[in-house]
Amino acid sequence: LSHSAACLLDASPRLFLFASSAHGHGFLAKPPSKNGGNQSTPLIDSIYYSVASFGIVDKAFFDGDHSVTPWTQPGGFDYKMAKELVPDHPQTLHPCGCNGGGVAHCVGVDGLATGFGETTLGAAPGVPPVLTPPQWPAGSVQEVGWNAYANHAGGYLYTLCRKEAYDACRDEHMPQGGSAASDIQTSAYLACVWGCFEATTLEWVPDSQKVQFRDDICTYARTDPLTKVGKDDHVWRSTPIPDKGQVSSGNEGRCTWDSVVGFSSVVAKERFTASFGASDVCDYGPHQRSTKNWHVMDQVQIPGSLPAGEYLLGWRWDAYMADQMWTGCADVQIVPFSTPSTSSSEADCPPAPPTTYPPPASPPPSPGGPLGGCTDNALPGNWGAAGR
């Protein structure tokens, strides 16, 4: 599947349109997600797109205006808006994502990756693996990460829901399963699962954001995160790499190198420069629109008060330069607190070189002229194949 993505925007009266062919978009990569995404997912278009199309809401905007995208009100676009936004094309916004237009194709409903450690490959071929979820001590710091094939900027958030409560939402509100559920039952179920995740929104560990090259834990650029307060006063982090032309066209955000604090190695700097240009390039680097080689990594604080047990980590990305958003989740085991721990493996890497370059003080001129318009195709009813 492919479509011509709408890439917008600005919260001001100005509106900028970008032409783009969207391929994979994004997915939760660490811990490995229940829809098959991980830090080693092949960067082959067809495989990546099959995995990353799981959990997409293709039309998400406010006030009937495509330019008022999810990132203008982080967390504000909800499951009710998704259902009612496009006439005759109800969309299902689910915290773990769906491989189709209806709730029956969402994770944990009607047998789709319902077991702890079970996964789905969506429309991709093959047998989905059964994973051994990571163990996270309550009160610990843990590293999480996600990947975007098509960079639409915006921001993201991580949440937790106890699996027992997650499954209870399904059993209580849709006792006959998602396929047989009425609209009232489906809405009650979605309100229940979203409430479960949003009740435990994870706090960021300061100065922990970085962009990591593929699955190489020792090759990364440390970045200074921008934040934005969204629904219920939750603090979201902005994507550290702006979309192509985003900042230089007057939209919010900052130039790529204005976020860079330092690199893990000379190789990391070389790879970063090859993708996004030298420090005098604002947002027109060679891979500005396609950031598939770079994972956005952060550390989050796991609440010390969490009871031990099976949980789902939720990830949500609200796009800024497109009227789209993505969700996904991963199984994690919360265990009793023992000693302070973190999931990052940087201790095994060589020491980072000193920072020797000054960041640009303001957006420098970028090549390129006025940006042309683009259009979306009609919203598809099911992004996957047979809801797998």
Side-chain angles (χ1 to χ4, degrees):
L1 293 173
S2 64
H3 76 293
S4 179
C7 317
L8 305 167
L9 100 302
D10 183 24
S12 71
R14 291 173 297 169
L15 174 66
F16 298 94
L17 299 176
F18 300 81
S20 173
S21 176
H23 290 283
H25 296 91
F27 53 71
L28 175 64
K30 184 179 181 179
S33 63
K34 290 185 76 68
N35 67 305
N38 58 63
Q39 291 184 294
S40 301
T41 297
L43 299 178
I44 302 170
D45 289 13
S46 59
I47 296 176
Y48 190 113
Y49 189 69
S50 295
V51 171
S53 293
F54 199 102
I56 184 175
V57 171
D58 187 53
K59 296 292 183 293
F61 52 88
F62 300 98
D63 305 324
D65 185 347
H66 288 265
S67 72
V68 188
T69 57
W71 185 238
T72 63
Q73 302 176 41
F77 191 88
D78 61 22
Y79 70 92
K80 291 178 286 188
M81 296 177 182
K83 179 181 177 181
E84 300 168 357
L85 185 64
V86 182
D88 302 321
H89 286 286
Q91 302 174 100
T92 302
L93 175 56
H94 188 282
C96 286
C98 310
N99 195 49
V103 73
H105 301 304
C106 300
V107 166
V109 181
D110 289 6
L112 184 65
T114 55
F116 193 60
E118 291 183 353
T119 65
T120 174
L121 298 180
V127 178
V130 177
L131 306 176
T132 300
Q135 293 189 346
W136 288 359
S140 66
V141 167
Q142 297 296 327
E143 187 174 64
V144 292
W146 62 283
N147 184 271
Y149 194 119
N151 178 22
H152 295 318
Y156 55 98
L157 195 72
Y158 290 97
T159 55
L160 277 174
C161 174
R162 193 164 187 175
K163 188 175 187 301
E164 181 181 11
Y166 181 79
D167 292 341
C169 289
R170 176 199 63 214
D171 298 339
E172 177 181 350
H173 297 292
M174 300 189 302
Q176 304 303 317
S179 298
S182 66
D183 286 346
I184 293 176
Q185 290 175 316
T186 298
S187 293
Y189 164 73
L190 290 172
C192 184
V193 291
W194 275 110
C196 182
F197 279 95
E198 292 176 344
T200 307
T201 297
L202 300 181
E203 295 183 0
W204 306 107
V205 173
D207 304 320
S208 65
Q209 188 187 66
K210 65 183 181 182
V211 286
Q212 175 185 300
F213 184 76
R214 299 185 179 178
D215 58 359
D216 183 352
I217 62 173
C218 296
T219 302
Y220 59 86
R222 182 74 66 189
T223 51
D224 176 32
L226 291 173
T227 60
K228 194 172 185 178
V229 177
K231 178 185 175 183
D232 297 331
D233 293 327
H234 295 316
V235 178
W236 294 59
R237 276 189 173 175
S238 299
T239 58
I241 307 298
D243 195 0
K244 185 176 182 180
Q246 172 186 332
V247 179
S248 56
S249 296
N251 300 292
E252 74 170 65
R254 59 188 176 194
C255 294
T256 305
W257 282 73
D258 282 342
S259 293
V260 175
V261 175
F263 294 94
S264 61
S265 64
V266 173
V267 171
K269 184 177 181 180
E270 291 173 347
R271 292 193 183 280
F272 189 88
T273 302
S275 289
F276 307 114
S279 59
D280 62 345
V281 176
C282 179
D283 53 10
Y284 274 88
H287 301 157
Q288 205 77 40
R289 178 62 53 77
S290 178
T291 52
K292 61 184 180 181
N293 283 320
W294 298 88
H295 299 291
V296 179
M297 310 297 295
D298 296 89
Q299 291 181 353
V300 291
Q301 180 69 54
I302 307 304
S305 59
L306 287 181
E310 298 175 348
Y311 284 76
L312 291 159
L313 173 74
W315 159 80
R316 172 169 167 161
W317 170 26
D318 282 14
Y320 177 45
M321 303 300 286
D323 56 349
Q324 299 170 332
M325 55 181 296
W326 287 263
T327 58
C329 63
D331 291 318
V332 297
Q333 182 86 31
I334 301 298
V335 297
F337 178 82
S338 53
T339 57
S341 64
T342 176
S343 64
S344 176
S345 302
E346 290 180 20
D348 300 327
C349 302
T355 301
T356 57
Y357 57 90
S362 60
S366 297
L371 298 163
C374 71
T375 58
D376 269 344
N377 292 335
L379 179 71
N382 189 334
W383 282 87
R388 290 181 296 173

